[in-house]
Amino acid sequence: MKRRHFLQHSLAAGTAVYGAVQSLGASAQDAATDPKQSSTTPDTEAWLWTTLKIGMVREGETLAEKFQVAKDAGFLGVELMTTNIDVDDAIAAAEQTGLIIDGTVGGYHWRTRHTDPDPDVRAEALSLLRDGIRNTAAVGADTMLLVPGRGTDGTPDVVMDRAVAAVEAALPEAERSGVKILIENVWNQFLYEHDGPNDQTADAMADFVDRFDSPLVGMQFDIGNHWKYGQPGDWIRTLGHRVMKLDIKGFSRSEDKFTAITEGDLPWDDVRAALREIGYSGWLAAEVGGGDLQHLKTVRQQMESALHCDEPKA
């Protein structure tokens, strides 16, 4: 082959290989960040996909039996705790029942905190976070819920720096695994004023997520947790695309306590409108008191009553 033709042939072949690699990389990234392409997407036309925390299932001896109870109650998915996952058992239970393991919860993050004043504790927390991400991927899930710290662990600046450092240190593992780190808004006195008014905004929460500039860091927005501090619909509108998943529970402002989903005074109509406005469609996880099959059916019905989960996406 003449040199000119050889170079042209080599260039064309190299371009084709590069294009194929780029296409594969883009497909992997899309699958990691686009719920429509995720293996955790259920076969449903509903706009909200109902899931629940595994600890809520109080009936059944084996994990497969618990999965079946959740499925019989009308749920499409389940979230496991990262600290006690038996990968083989979880995969077998999902295959046997058809229930999707859509995500996990960092079961360590209250007692072993990423913002703890002790650097050894922070190092242990980071190790648990990385392990949790790997376990999440191993069972076929693609999100891990994280409480990044507690506001009383130091000054606001110190707590912020420690929380940011932890997520940044775990991001390479998240990228390798295709697992999203989802920050939950909880009563941890971080990114809001615990003793402040009830019209606080989600601006600080949005700024925290934006610090990472990554499609693998977002919000698992808990609708009930901040009704005490601000309007959940307005929080959703502010957070917008950062909302990658939802938790649901009830809360009564008038009685200052958590309730069953439909027994508080949450403005569900506005929450539903806000979710539609930001174009959200995806997982909605119950996080309330657990029980047997009948109780879980009631929870599923309350989720439907609050947000009309089974309505079509469009």
Side-chain angles (χ1 to χ4, degrees):
M1 184 182 295
K2 292 182 179 180
R3 176 179 173 82
R4 184 182 65 180
H5 291 162
F6 173 78
L7 291 174
Q8 289 174 339
H9 179 79
S10 299
L11 178 61
T15 300
V17 171
Y18 176 77
V21 171
Q22 289 293 94
S23 178
L24 286 172
S27 297
Q29 180 67 7
D30 288 345
T33 58
D34 183 355
K36 298 180 181 65
Q37 300 188 39
S38 170
S39 61
T40 62
T41 301
D43 183 16
T44 178
E45 294 301 315
W47 78 298
L48 296 177
W49 314 332
T50 54
T51 184
L52 77 170
K53 317 297 180 181
I54 186 61
M56 291 174 54
V57 186
R58 307 286 175 80
E59 185 176 331
E61 296 298 324
T62 68
L63 193 61
E65 289 172 349
K66 290 180 178 295
F67 275 30
Q68 190 62 54
V69 169
K71 185 176 182 181
D72 290 345
F75 290 90
L76 301 173
V78 63
E79 292 183 351
L80 303 180
M81 298 290 284
T82 61
T83 48
N84 59 0
I85 289 179
D86 182 321
V87 172
D88 292 337
D89 194 24
I91 291 173
E95 290 177 348
Q96 179 178 328
T97 62
L99 196 70
I100 295 171
I101 305 172
D102 59 278
T104 65
V105 178
Y108 67 89
H109 51 209
W110 282 114
R111 65 181 182 276
T112 309
R113 297 185 304 280
H114 292 286
T115 56
D116 193 285
D118 187 338
D120 290 338
V121 174
R122 297 200 300 273
E124 182 184 357
L126 180 57
S127 177
L128 290 169
L129 174 53
R130 288 171 172 155
D131 286 345
I133 290 170
R134 286 189 286 268
N135 285 335
T136 299
V139 297
D142 59 9
T143 66
M144 177 178 168
L145 182 151
L146 176 69
V147 175
R150 188 175 70 185
T152 55
D153 280 337
T155 66
D157 288 344
V158 166
V159 170
M160 177 65 74
D161 288 346
R162 291 171 181 165
V164 169
V167 176
E168 286 181 339
L171 262 177
E173 190 63 54
E175 291 165 356
R176 282 189 292 270
S177 303
V179 170
K180 304 178 192 71
I181 300 172
L182 300 189
I183 310 302
E184 186 187 15
N185 52 307
V186 296
W187 288 19
N188 58 340
Q189 303 181 44
F190 179 59
L191 303 174
Y192 70 98
E193 294 182 45
H194 182 64
D195 297 318
N198 62 10
D199 60 353
Q200 298 179 56
T201 73
D203 293 342
M205 185 70 72
D207 290 344
F208 180 76
V209 172
D210 290 348
R211 285 171 177 258
F212 306 102
D213 191 26
S214 171
L216 293 176
V217 180
M219 284 291 302
Q220 183 151 341
F221 181 70
D222 190 307
I223 301 165
N225 272 348
H226 271 53
W227 176 224
K228 178 180 175 70
Y229 305 108
Q231 291 287 338
D234 290 345
W235 276 60
I236 289 166
R237 294 180 179 94
T238 296
L239 292 169
H241 68 276
R242 303 171 187 85
V243 178
M244 297 183 181
K245 210 166 187 178
L246 298 166
D247 276 357
I248 185 170
K249 59 169 63 80
F251 187 82
S252 170
R253 269 191 180 181
S254 61
E255 299 180 39
D256 194 30
K257 69 176 185 179
F258 290 104
T259 69
I261 292 169
T262 52
E263 293 179 7
D265 47 24
L266 271 150
W268 291 116
D269 287 346
D270 188 54
V271 170
R272 188 167 61 251
L275 290 170
R276 289 290 196 179
E277 287 170 28
I278 69 169
Y280 182 82
S281 179
W283 289 105
L284 174 70
E287 189 179 30
V288 297
D292 60 11
L293 173 61
Q294 189 55 52
H295 174 77
L296 296 180
K297 284 183 176 180
T298 298
V299 172
R300 176 61 178 85
Q301 291 166 356
Q302 290 172 339
M303 296 168 76
E304 180 64 29
S305 177
L307 291 179
H308 305 174
C309 309
D310 294 332
E311 287 183 351
K313 298 172 187 176

